Amino acid sequence: MKVAMLRSVVRRSTISSSAAKTYFSSRGFSSESVPERKVAVLGAAGGIGQPLSLLMKLNPLVSKLALYDIAGTPGVAADVSHINTRSEVKGYAGDEQLRQALEGSDIVIIPAGVPRKPGMTRDDLFKINAGIVKSLCEAIAKYCPNALVNMISNPVNSTVPIAAEVFKSRGVYDERRLFGVTTLDVVRAKTFYAGKANANVAGVNVPVVGGHAGVTILPLFSQVSPKANLSDEDIKALTKRTQDGGTEVVEAKAGKGSATLSMAYAGAIFADACLKGLNGVPDVVECSFVQSTITELPFFASKVRLGKNGVEEVLRLGPLSDYEQQGLEALKPELKSSIEKGIAFVHSS
Ligand SMILES: NC(=O)C1=CN([C@@H]2O[C@H](COP(=O)(O)OP(=O)(O)OC[C@H]3O[C@@H](n4cnc5c(N)ncnc54)[C@H](O)[C@@H]3O)[C@@H](O)[C@H]2O)C=CC1
Ligand SMILES: O=C([O-])CC(=O)C(=O)O
């Protein structure tokens, strides 16, 4: 579904607003009711931000695209704005323009913050990124408290709880509207599985649950479709490669950052799913790190059904293999402490 979607995004990239209307009418929207949707990208001049801005510009569900960063966004916005697709693009730079960037946003995507270098864990980014995310979420609480927030900045296992605490402290928290973006884990699990199973990757589906760091990333290959006959050893190797996917890219980039292009793709897939949910498209399901009661942990990544208010339903894990059950128990202490670290940060700063 994802590869098909990107193909269709790319195909749609050449369409004009009249073609956008055809697109909408073929999906049940009358041309009069094409929903206006504003998307803001915070960190839009960065390694993820730039290609993500491009992909959001290609999405016909977006009518306004606000590109915000501490600097550099006028150039990115001028560049992207020349693409002949539906959305109107504006760039915003610096604290004083954050309000304008956010006001009226339906979705705020946050890839702001520093990336890893070789030898670092995602948690090593906490010191810098926790403060960045906190201040951006304070602005969201003020200027667009009803927006869906797609949190990309690492460590996601802590930045999502930080956002929740900020929103609670401002009296605007709605757990249905806050998402940690874990789509890249799903993208990787599909790619790696299809490679090993010699399957057509376009048809592969596999949920990835837990969190977004090391062992907290738990792909559920026992639930993959279509099912291939892989050995236990193969499944273990695929699980490890999915868990270490981010590190594989960090090491290959050798000091020049972490995944940006595959992350932009994953972020665009997830934002598109949120837009479809907001627009009332039925049965939109993606994995995401959200407030959850499906385990004893207060936040957990699993499949969620998206709708007009954000999360409509957090889906249960379903049957797990013994190996996955062990992985689930093993990830809980680390995920719990990352969540607690995020919560404590907001109360101590
Ligand atoms: N959730 C996921 O699966 C993934 C998350 N990431 C994370 O995404 C984040 C961004 O990564 P890259 O784009 O590669 O980094 P980058 O350094 O290339 O870009 C980050 C951008 O954020 C901007 N920024 C910093 N403080 C800001 C603020 N207060 N307001 C607005 N913008 C601000 C910077 O100016 C820069 O343009 C990192 O924390 C990285 O670990 C990366 C890959 C996957
Ligand atoms: O590994 C990193 O630091 C960036 C990331 O989250 C990923 O690529 O999954």
Side-chain angles (χ1 to χ4, degrees):
M1 175 271 192
K2 297 305 172 306
V3 169
M5 194 224 110
L6 185 65
R7 270 198 213 109
S8 99
V9 164
V10 171
R11 202 172 50 239
R12 284 183 248 144
S13 71
T14 56
I15 66 179
S16 61
S17 60
S18 71
K21 284 192 177 141
T22 310
Y23 168 84
F24 290 117
S25 58
S26 69
R27 282 157 179 80
F29 296 112
S30 72
S31 53
E32 292 73 41
S33 68
V34 173
E36 299 284 319
R37 294 289 175 204
K38 177 173 172 181
V39 173
V41 180
L42 311 184
I48 296 167
Q50 292 201 35
L52 180 57
S53 301
L54 167 65
L55 292 174
M56 296 319 293
K57 175 65 176 143
L58 304 190
N59 190 320
L61 301 180
V62 182
S63 57
K64 279 194 180 146
L65 185 58
L67 306 183
Y68 175 82
D69 205 303
I70 47 182
T73 28
V76 178
D79 189 354
V80 166
S81 72
H82 289 186
I83 295 169
N84 58 322
T85 54
R86 180 185 180 210
S87 53
E88 179 196 356
V89 184
K90 284 198 179 142
Y92 303 90
D95 280 352
E96 60 289 351
Q97 295 190 352
L98 182 52
R99 175 190 189 141
Q100 285 169 277
L102 290 174
E103 272 175 350
S105 294
D106 296 287
I107 299 186
V108 179
I109 313 176
I110 313 184
V114 290
R116 284 201 283 164
K117 288 190 182 338
M120 293 170 80
T121 67
R122 290 179 182 81
D123 186 57
D124 293 332
L125 305 173
F126 186 98
K127 259 199 190 114
I128 299 178
N129 290 353
I132 293 173
V133 162
K134 179 170 175 269
S135 67
L136 292 173
C137 288
E138 279 162 356
I140 292 168
K142 232 172 163 172
Y143 302 127
C144 57
N146 295 322
L148 305 191
V149 174
N150 292 184
M151 182 68 72
I152 292 174
S153 310
N154 271 317
V156 167
N157 292 353
S158 302
T159 53
V160 169
I162 288 173
E165 288 309 298
V166 170
F167 296 149
K168 278 181 204 165
S169 73
R170 302 290 157 133
V172 298
Y173 183 51
D174 179 344
E175 71 271 18
R176 298 172 302 174
R177 296 177 181 275
L178 176 59
F179 303 88
V181 181
T182 58
T183 319
L184 182 52
D185 301 317
V186 176
V187 165
R188 287 177 176 141
K190 288 177 177 182
T191 304
F192 301 159
Y193 186 88
K196 192 77 204 170
N198 211 7
N200 177 358
V201 72
V204 170
N205 258 310
V206 52
V208 182
V209 303
H212 179 68
V215 296
T216 73
I217 298 167
L218 184 61
L220 302 182
F221 287 114
S222 70
Q223 297 179 17
V224 73
S225 68
K227 196 125 189 160
N229 206 8
L230 297 187
S231 68
D232 289 353
E233 286 320 302
D234 285 338
I235 294 298
K236 276 186 191 164
L238 284 172
T239 300
K240 177 124 181 53
R241 187 162 180 217
T242 305
Q243 292 173 333
D244 294 344
T247 306
E248 189 177 313
V249 178
V250 168
E251 283 170 0
K253 289 199 174 179
K256 297 237 162 66
S258 55
T260 53
L261 304 173
S262 51
M263 181 59 238
Y265 168 75
I269 296 275
F270 190 71
D272 181 71
C274 289
L275 286 162
K276 288 193 176 113
L278 287 177
N279 289 350
V281 176
D283 292 324
V284 181
V285 174
E286 289 291 335
C287 289
S288 180
F289 184 65
V290 295
Q291 183 172 311
S292 176
T293 54
I294 67 168
T295 69
E296 64 272 34
L297 298 175
F299 293 91
F300 200 84
S302 67
K303 287 201 255 183
V304 301
R305 189 180 310 284
L306 296 158
K308 291 188 174 176
N309 298 302
V311 176
E312 294 287 327
E313 185 187 2
V314 178
L315 301 178
R316 303 197 69 76
L317 291 178
L320 304 186
S321 67
D322 288 349
Y323 176 65
E324 290 160 358
Q325 189 63 48
Q326 282 164 22
L328 175 63
E329 293 315 312
L331 71 79
K332 286 179 181 171
E334 179 181 330
L335 187 50
K336 181 168 185 284
S337 88
S338 299
I339 293 168
E340 286 168 355
K341 187 171 173 180
I343 294 171
F345 172 78
V346 176
H347 295 288
S348 66
S349 55

